[in-house]
Amino acid sequence: MVSRADRSPFAEWLWTVDRFLVAGFIVLMIGGIVLSFAASPAVAERLNIDSYHFIKRQAFFLVPALGLMLAISALSPRYVRRAALALFVVSMLLMVATLFVGMEAKGARRWINMAGFSIQPSEFLKPALIVLAAFLMAEGGRRPEVPGTLLSTLLFVMSAALLVAQPDFGQTMLLALVFAALIFLNGLSWLAIVPLGVLGLGGLVSAYMMLPHVQSRVDRFLDPGAGDTYNIDRAIEAFVSGSWFGRGPGEGTIKRILPESHTDFIFAVAAEEFGIIVCLLLLLVFAFVVLRGLRHAAQDSDPFGRLATAGLMVLFGIQAAINMAVNLNLMPAKGMTLPFISYGGSSLLAMAISMGFVLALTRRRPQASRSDSVVVSRLSPAHLS
């Protein structure tokens, strides 16, 4: 047991970090491994590879992801900003490179091979952009001569342009929603909400008109007879088959014919094998983490910490909500991973970085009392001169 009198770096971290948030993230990570055992062997068999291939790779990435999250959580807000800047620059360079030398799949270039691993740079871009945008907005509020909102908007436009060029409309929409939330939390005038809403609606309409795959997914959502709805139909069957208590671990059958059951549709596999009750418990864990993070943001007196924490938690929550909604056919299909649960090294590492930033920004830090401030002011050189 670590004493509160211990002044070692580990003891300081342990007594200042939000251990409930840490526990929530670890529960989700472990849940990802458990559900990988349920969902991925069927996919591996269809691909004629080792049945435990995806499980081994998920476990392989889990260890560095957990270590990375805990290491980042020990950073100060200043070093969080520096880390985010470095991550943003590297991610932007990799996204540009992806357009030229990235792997092409289904007409899109979103992945790049590095040192034998496939990396999706856009996953790492998201948390970096949110932290930098929060810093610029906070600086703009503190120093009127700094055009914080304009600069952060330029960073967002650059990022969105690269995402559209891949193309990856889903990630673009996700990033736009989070950026809009940041602007709103930064004190957006109500008079500006309507024009921004119209602009966002115009972007959605433009994507529908100009991107055939977006139009196809929206049409199939509104009218199932307009095209192939095989994935969604199988996902709904999985929920019906599992009912409240599930068919039991390893007893699922629909997962064997459900494409991408270990990534986009892992929530449906959880429903079939473990039941709707377990899905609701998983939902409660996500809700607990998001609400606790937003509570920290609301109580933070530092504008940067408040905006960055809120933005990262909104990213986490919206991404989880989109994945679950797609599985339940509540919105058009989109390849969006379930944070910490779906298979994917880039997604797992990027989300670990994101939540490491959150843990770092929400750590309790001593605040000088009013009497201490008075004493300091009286001892200042200006006062003594």
Side-chain angles (χ1 to χ4, degrees), residues 225-236:
D228 180 25
T229 58
Y230 180 84
N231 290 356
I232 295 300
D233 292 340
R234 300 294 82 74
I236 296 300

Side-chain angles (χ1 to χ4, degrees), residues 46 228-243 247 252-273 275-276 279 322-334:
R46 290 200 299 267
D228 180 25
T229 58
Y230 180 84
N231 290 356
I232 295 300
D233 292 340
R234 300 294 82 74
I236 296 300
E237 284 182 20
F239 280 93
V240 174
S241 175
S243 189
R247 298 173 62 92
T253 57
I254 296 174
K255 66 181 182 182
R256 301 184 183 280
I257 58 174
L258 178 61
E260 301 179 6
S261 59
H262 61 319
T263 54
D264 300 349
F265 292 97
I266 197 168
F267 193 59
V269 175
E272 183 184 19
E273 298 210 346
I276 295 175
C279 288
I322 289 176
N323 178 277
M324 295 179 186
V326 168
N327 276 248
L328 291 166
N329 197 26
L330 297 177
M331 66 178 297
K334 177 64 196 83

Side-chain angles (χ1 to χ4, degrees), residues 271-290:
E272 183 184 19
E273 298 210 346
F274 299 98
I276 295 175
I277 289 181
V278 169
C279 288
L280 291 174
L281 292 175
L282 186 62
L283 176 61
L284 285 176
V285 176
F286 276 105
F288 168 78
V289 167
V290 172

Side-chain angles (χ1 to χ4, degrees), residues 105-110 163-173 204-222 226-228 332-335:
K106 300 178 180 179
R109 292 183 181 270
R110 303 171 186 173
L163 285 170
V164 171
Q166 288 185 344
D168 192 342
F169 178 72
Q171 295 284 15
T172 307
M173 181 182 69
L204 292 175
V205 173
S206 299
Y208 176 81
M209 299 298 294
M210 299 173 62
L211 300 176
H213 69 283
V214 173
Q215 186 178 54
S216 174
R217 289 179 176 180
V218 173
D219 289 344
R220 281 179 290 168
F221 174 73
L222 297 175
D228 180 25
K334 177 64 196 83

Side-chain angles (χ1 to χ4, degrees), residues 146-169:
V146 176
T149 301
L150 175 62
L151 292 175
S152 61
T153 301
L154 290 176
L155 293 183
F156 166 73
V157 171
M158 291 167 53
S159 303
L162 287 175
L163 285 170
V164 171
Q166 288 185 344
D168 192 342
F169 178 72

Side-chain angles (χ1 to χ4, degrees), residues 38-95:
S40 64
V43 179
E45 290 173 6
R46 290 200 299 267
L47 298 175
N48 293 319
I49 58 179
D50 178 20
S51 297
Y52 297 103
H53 171 79
F54 296 109
I55 299 171
K56 292 175 182 177
R57 289 182 65 86
Q58 186 77 351
F60 174 80
F61 284 109
L62 178 63
V63 175
L66 179 59
L68 191 60
M69 182 181 73
L70 296 180
I72 291 175
S73 70
L75 297 178
S76 67
R78 174 180 295 180
Y79 281 100
V80 165
R81 294 193 291 267
R82 292 179 179 179
L85 176 60
L87 183 63
F88 180 81
V89 172
V90 173
S91 299
M92 290 290 284
L93 292 175
L94 289 177
M95 287 186 68

Side-chain angles (χ1 to χ4, degrees), residues 169-187:
F169 178 72
Q171 295 284 15
T172 307
M173 181 182 69
L174 174 62
L175 206 57
L177 289 173
V178 178
F179 187 74
L182 274 179
I183 293 179
F184 180 78
L185 292 172
N186 192 43

